Amino acid sequence: MKKSILEVNDLKVNFSTYAGKVQAVRNVSFEVFSGETLAIVGESGSGKSVTSQAIMQLLPVPPAIYEGGEILFEGRDLLKLSDRQMEKVRGNEISMIFQDPMTSLNPTMKIGKQITEVMIKHHKISRSEADKRALELMELVGIPMPEKRLKQYPHEFSGGMRQRVVIAIALAANPKLLIADEPTTALDVTIQAQILEVMKEIQKEMETAVIFITHDLGVVANVADRVAVMYAGEIVEIGTVEDIFYNPQHPYTWGLLGSMPDLTADKSQKLRTIPGSPPDLTHPPAGDAFAARNPHAMKIDYEKNPPMFKVSETHYAKTWRLHPDAPKTEIPEIIKERYNQYRQTKEGDSIV
Amino acid sequence: MISYIAKRLVYILIAMWLIITATFFLMRLAPGNPFASERALPPAIQESLNAQYGLDNPWYVQYKDYLINSAKGDFGTSMKYKYRETNDMIAESFPVSMTLGLEAMFIAVAFGVLIGTIAALFHNKWPDYLMTILAVLGISIPSFVMATILQYYLALQLNLFPIAGWKGFAYSILPAVALASTPMAFIAKLTRSSMLEETNSEYVKMAKAKGISKPVIVFKHALRNALLPVVTYLAPLTAGVVTGSFVIEKIFSIPGLGKHFVTSITNRDYTVIMGTTVFYAVILLLAVLIVDILYSFIDPRIQLRGGKSND
Ligand SMILES: Nc1ncnc2c1ncn2[C@@H]1O[C@H](COP(=O)(O)OP(=O)(O)O)[C@@H](O)[C@H]1O
Ligand code: SF4
Ligand SMILES: [Mg+2]
């Protein structure tokens, strides 16, 4: 069994707003094992960013309220650390890659300084050592002419190159856990693939654990070992990539898989999306949050929020379907088709 | 960079020509003349004076003479104070005005930025509210009222500073503060709002995610970005300090250029009006140029280029 480095238990995060209390993260629990990549998937607004920023404690308090739960990083509860102690964790043991590289770098500070700053802060090394290491990092993330580039400002870089810089900064202090919050969403498709490639290589090399947040299931199969599916502030299904892609149990996961654009599918086929929209998190429904959008919903779904049911050692899903007394619902045909197609392309890939 | 400055200097010359022309015609339109006084001069003397200063020439000849003299920087003798060269008057009084102006600008920028930053750091706490109240007062109280208040309380009642005059550093403090109060309040508000914007930006969040401590984030990351609007304001600030000095110099009996400028207008002292106007115009236009160059140093995204830019 792998060693777990991060354990989030029953995390609850609210925001106080004029419209009321937004329950952005509701009883989220998951684990991250050292060296693995956990993908967190879900529509926008499902609480992925809030979860990740809660781990780093980057949420502004107020309006954010850490309502409950614990975030154990190597056994220490991050929620109980002081500001000073948390500063030593951020950027050093856990670091973060933000979504939009156009805004996440300081426009008036040279790239080199933005990278070395982290090492000087956490590793107490000299400026020249830090400069040398910055050069190595720039090479590692694939930025050509690093000596020249280190002396430039962010506006002299393209979006893709900036995201490489952000990755270099995140790696500068050799973190044990890297949180990437939609690191490719703001980029062109071709650049996305390059950045994913960089991230995969680096992870192999540095053996950092990664939480990879995305709303795009297509990316997940490529990068993740395990997947957590988030909906309306909750994790509704969690398992290995195989569990989620071959044997999904939650109707929301079916919906996500069903709306995945597919390379092999007929181009004229319309992109299927899940009908309806997520519930208002100021007043989350009493029952299952997905019931209103779920064609298979039963009476109990509107009344009681289902617990996590165990599917296998690695696989859990939060749906009444899995209750022993529940009537058997058939897995929709399209989803079955998807698995078969997916299985074929996967096999095709592994031959190459 | 060099070609940019050359281009800007050409613009400055064009602006100067417009200013001289406008001043010339406005001066002529205003009723009265330099030699009018309570006792009417005998017509013969009036005529000979007019002839001596070329005021009997047709307007286009006078205009041409003014243009040529202005270009040479020779504004002639004062029409009111005989044997006083306009240039000498400027040379004598300008250093006084400059000292006062620079002192006021220093106070406005240094304290404005400091107060604004503190207010932003304590956003929605009492230092922020206190600063907001002071800023509103600073902006709404005109400098001449501020000057009298300072004179009355700090000089007359408490005897901390001399009331008026210009005999050393102590004499400059009250007028400089009076002159600086409005722009200082304005800069404080400007710094506060732009600092708040910067501290909510993504790169500050990222700096925090890097483990950088709050004071380092504020001073090393956010401040430089937050100062960009303040730098933009430096040119209007210069103009404000210059115009403010006309009044302040009068109130504190400071022998500066502002006093000459104002009295030359009431005296219809054409040569001095033209000399001081041209001089002020040069100062302001250069200030704008210097601010633009300064801006390009603070913001790496701004590139100064001459000729046509291709983006
Ligand atoms: N600062 C905030 N104030 C109020 N509500 C917020 C704030 N930040 C996030 N939320 C709410 O929290 C929910 C989850 O947001 P987020 O985690 O950003 O979603 P995503 O999964 O797209 O990253 C959303 O409903 C959003 O409106
Ligand atoms: S608990 Fe009910 S409503 Fe929720 S996903 Fe499962 S079947 Fe659908
Ligand atoms: Mg997000």
Side-chain angles (χ1 to χ4, degrees):
Chain A
M1 189 71 189
K2 273 185 171 171
K3 201 174 96 216
S4 137
I5 61 164
L6 182 78
E7 203 182 319
V8 175
N9 292 323
D10 280 322
L11 181 68
K12 282 196 200 87
V13 182
N14 295 344
F15 288 95
S16 55
T17 65
Y18 292 112
K21 225 185 222 180
V22 180
Q23 304 182 20
V25 172
R26 307 188 290 147
N27 294 315
V28 160
S29 303
F30 62 90
E31 256 180 306
V32 181
F33 301 106
S34 60
E36 76 161 354
T37 299
L38 170 74
I40 301 181
V41 203
E43 285 168 301
S44 95
S46 56
K48 307 181 300 288
S49 297
V50 173
T51 305
S52 62
Q53 292 183 19
I55 297 170
M56 291 288 266
Q57 283 179 54
L58 291 176
L59 297 170
V61 182
I65 307 158
Y66 293 97
E67 191 84 10
E70 46 182 22
I71 300 172
L72 301 174
F73 180 72
E74 296 187 317
R76 273 192 307 172
D77 188 354
L78 297 183
L79 290 176
K80 296 209 173 76
L81 296 188
S82 69
D83 281 356
R84 294 295 297 276
Q85 288 169 316
M86 199 57 213
E87 264 168 31
K88 293 201 183 98
V89 175
R90 289 192 198 112
N92 185 21
E93 296 187 270
I94 309 178
S95 65
M96 190 149 180
I97 299 171
F98 288 83
Q99 175 167 342
D100 188 359
M102 301 318 265
T103 55
S104 54
L105 293 169
N106 182 346
T108 59
M109 190 185 270
K110 285 185 180 147
I111 292 300
K113 190 153 180 234
Q114 299 196 45
I115 299 177
T116 53
E117 187 183 39
V118 191
M119 299 180 261
I120 292 170
K121 160 91 192 182
H122 294 297
H123 291 176
K124 311 274 174 283
I125 58 175
S126 71
R127 179 149 291 285
S128 63
E129 271 176 281
D131 285 341
K132 224 178 82 200
R133 173 108 175 88
L135 212 61
E136 289 168 16
L137 283 164
M138 294 280 274
E139 272 162 13
L140 183 71
V141 297
I143 296 177
M145 296 185 292
E147 293 94 343
K148 187 178 141 220
R149 294 300 233 163
L150 281 173
K151 296 193 194 77
Q152 292 183 332
Y153 289 95
H155 73 275
E156 294 166 85
F157 288 67
S158 66
M161 284 294 152
R162 287 194 207 191
Q163 197 62 309
R164 287 171 197 257
V165 171
V166 174
I167 294 173
I169 292 173
L171 295 173
N174 278 321
K176 293 177 190 139
L177 174 64
L178 183 62
I179 302 175
D181 188 354
E182 312 218 20
T184 59
T185 307
L187 303 172
D188 291 348
V189 184
T190 45
I191 311 290
Q192 282 187 12
Q194 290 170 13
I195 296 292
L196 286 178
E197 216 37 58
V198 170
M199 289 202 53
K200 261 163 62 180
E201 261 166 47
I202 282 163
Q203 201 199 358
K204 232 187 283 165
E205 199 159 315
M206 303 183 106
E207 296 184 331
T208 316
V210 177
I211 297 180
F212 191 97
I213 292 170
T214 176
H215 64 262
D216 180 4
L217 257 185
V219 176
V220 170
N222 220 336
V223 294
D225 300 303
R226 289 194 307 129
V227 183
V229 179
M230 256 188 114
Y231 182 75
E234 297 174 308
I235 289 185
V236 293
E237 185 161 8
I238 185 164
T240 62
V241 170
E242 282 73 23
D243 293 335
I244 301 296
F245 279 82
Y246 295 142
N247 189 24
Q249 294 299 323
H250 198 283
Y252 179 65
T253 315
W254 297 347
L256 278 184
L257 284 166
S259 59
M260 228 172 97
D262 198 317
L263 295 175
T264 54
D266 179 1
K267 285 253 163 56
S268 66
Q269 197 185 341
K270 258 219 206 124
L271 209 75
R272 243 177 293 267
T273 51
I274 308 170
S277 53
D280 172 14
L281 291 178
T282 40
H283 303 286
D288 184 282
F290 190 60
R293 299 170 79 184
N294 182 4
H296 316 278
M298 302 167 285
K299 187 160 172 280
I300 187 168
D301 297 327
Y302 291 99
E303 289 161 2
K304 242 183 134 200
N305 204 358
M308 272 285 184
F309 288 94
K310 184 171 173 180
V311 182
S312 71
E313 267 317 314
T314 53
H315 189 183
Y316 294 81
K318 190 179 152 299
T319 164
W320 285 120
R321 280 187 66 244
L322 296 174
H323 192 274
D325 298 341
K328 280 279 157 283
T329 35
E330 254 312 298
I331 295 177
E333 244 350 275
I334 10 159
I335 297 298
K336 279 189 187 158
E337 249 172 64
R338 291 275 155 184
Y339 316 146
N340 295 335
Q341 277 174 5
Y342 172 77
R343 193 168 295 164
Q344 278 160 17
T345 51
K346 182 95 177 175
E347 277 159 10
D349 275 352
S350 55
I351 293 166
V352 178
Chain B
M1 180 86 174
I2 304 277
S3 70
Y4 172 83
I5 293 177
K7 198 174 95 183
R8 288 292 301 264
L9 288 175
V10 172
Y11 286 150
I12 287 182
L13 284 180
I14 296 171
M16 287 307 305
W17 170 71
L18 289 174
I19 289 167
I20 291 171
T21 307
T23 316
F24 176 83
F25 288 106
L26 286 173
M27 225 158 57
R28 294 302 129 135
L29 282 176
N33 74 62
F35 314 116
S37 58
E38 285 98 71
R39 280 175 297 132
L41 290 170
I45 297 180
Q46 177 93 39
E47 260 165 47
S48 83
L49 275 170
N50 280 348
Q52 188 191 334
Y53 287 98
L55 292 177
D56 53 349
N57 290 329
W59 68 267
Y60 49 86
V61 177
Q62 292 186 33
Y63 175 59
K64 183 202 73 187
D65 289 344
Y66 263 122
L67 274 187
I68 292 171
N69 290 338
S70 303
K72 283 197 245 160
D74 171 15
F75 297 100
T77 51
S78 162
M79 294 184 181
K80 199 76 185 178
Y81 308 103
K82 303 285 138 54
Y83 315 117
R84 292 272 279 142
E85 284 287 330
T86 307
N87 287 356
D88 291 344
M89 289 167 74
I90 294 175
E92 257 166 45
S93 56
F94 177 62
V96 175
S97 292
M98 191 177 73
T99 313
L100 178 62
L102 288 180
E103 223 175 288
M105 284 178 72
F106 175 80
I107 294 173
V109 172
F111 287 93
V113 168
L114 187 71
I115 294 171
T117 307
I118 292 173
L121 289 186
F122 292 93
H123 182 44
N124 283 342
K125 301 206 177 75
W126 70 263
D128 188 17
Y129 297 132
L130 178 70
M131 173 256 142
T132 309
I133 294 170
L134 288 179
V136 169
L137 286 179
I139 289 173
S140 49
I141 297 178
S143 62
F144 61 88
V145 177
M146 184 60 87
T148 354
I149 294 173
L150 292 175
Q151 275 180 326
Y152 182 74
Y153 288 104
L154 298 185
L156 195 65
Q157 299 278 335
L158 297 175
N159 245 319
L160 294 174
F161 299 98
I163 286 190
W166 191 259
K167 295 184 207 100
F169 179 67
Y171 288 80
S172 70
I173 296 174
L174 287 191
V177 170
L179 199 50
S181 65
T182 300
M184 179 175 80
F186 192 83
I187 289 177
K189 280 193 67 169
L190 206 61
T191 308
R192 173 183 175 275
S193 62
S194 78
M195 192 58 143
L196 280 179
E197 203 179 306
E198 295 303 326
T199 48
N200 283 322
S201 67
E202 278 292 295
Y203 74 84
V204 162
K205 197 170 225 181
M206 166 127 163
K208 207 173 156 200
K210 285 155 83 175
I212 312 295
S213 65
K214 195 169 173 182
V216 177
I217 290 178
V218 168
F219 289 103
K220 277 207 171 151
H221 283 267
L223 190 59
R224 183 165 166 190
N225 292 293
L227 282 185
L228 293 176
V230 177
V231 174
T232 320
Y233 175 65
L234 286 181
L237 169 67
T238 317
V241 165
V242 166
T243 45
S245 69
F246 302 158
V247 184
I248 295 294
E249 287 179 7
K250 195 98 186 160
I251 294 176
F252 286 92
S253 323
I254 294 168
L257 189 53
K259 218 183 84 196
H260 286 313
F261 183 67
V262 176
T263 45
S264 72
I265 292 171
T266 47
N267 288 341
R268 302 289 182 275
D269 193 345
Y270 294 152
T271 44
V272 179
I273 294 177
M274 194 50 90
T276 44
T277 309
V278 168
F279 186 78
Y280 277 131
V282 170
I283 299 265
L284 288 178
L285 290 169
L286 284 180
V288 174
L289 177 62
I290 291 169
V291 166
D292 283 354
I293 294 172
L294 192 67
Y295 200 90
S296 78
F297 278 107
I298 296 190
D299 188 347
R301 286 163 297 188
I302 305 286
Q303 269 177 19
L304 304 181
R305 45 173 120 224
K308 285 202 181 77
S309 72
N310 24 5
D311 54 19

